[in-house]
Amino acid sequence: MITDVDLITGTIFEADNFGQFDLNSSTSRNAAVSTTVFFDAVTANGLLATLTISTEGITGPGQFDLTLSSTGLGDTQFFDLLGNPVDATVNDRVLNIVPEPAAALLWGLPMLMLGRRRV
């Protein structure tokens, strides 16, 4: 579940922006956010955004698509200072969710207790 998208903090937009604008109410599957720079172009090299995801309710390992193109909300887009589209290569990715070792241990303890016998 997507819990936050931050386009400003530590990103290529941090030094020069009008703030972040949420374009939809973030759902568990979609988030649309935008920012606009004041006057300068930004360097297309660096952190673009920070995405925060909750794994609450995920009971085991799994793979989940992180899609930035051809989404239900449209493609990730960039524009120049005149509002013209800028060509950009945006790559989709896969998130691999793996339970942390402490969680695996908690699942294993009840199984050990089931195998125990009283004498």
Side-chain angles (χ1 to χ4, degrees):
M1 175 161 141
I2 298 170
T3 59
D4 187 49
V5 179
D6 184 351
L7 290 176
I8 309 300
T9 309
T11 71
I12 60 175
F13 305 110
E14 185 172 41
D16 184 23
N17 68 79
F18 282 109
Q20 177 171 310
F21 305 97
D22 294 327
L23 303 177
N24 76 326
S25 57
S26 180
T27 66
S28 63
R29 298 184 56 103
N30 298 308
V33 294
S34 173
T35 191
T36 303
V37 298
F38 289 117
F39 302 107
D40 297 326
V42 296
T43 302
N45 184 15
L47 181 65
L48 183 63
T50 300
L51 179 66
T52 305
I53 299 173
S54 170
T55 58
E56 184 177 339
I58 297 176
T59 57
Q63 290 188 334
F64 302 88
D65 293 330
L66 177 58
T67 306
L68 302 172
S69 61
S70 302
T71 72
L73 300 172
D75 292 342
T76 297
Q77 297 177 329
F78 301 93
F79 299 92
D80 66 17
L81 297 174
L82 300 175
N84 300 311
V86 174
D87 289 333
T89 301
V90 178
N91 297 312
D92 297 334
R93 296 288 186 225
V94 173
L95 299 175
N96 292 304
I97 306 296
V98 179
E100 62 179 283
L105 178 63
L106 291 175
W107 282 102
L109 283 176
M111 299 311 271
L112 288 174
M113 296 304 287
L114 287 175
R116 234 177 123 185
R117 284 188 179 173
R118 292 193 127 187
V119 187

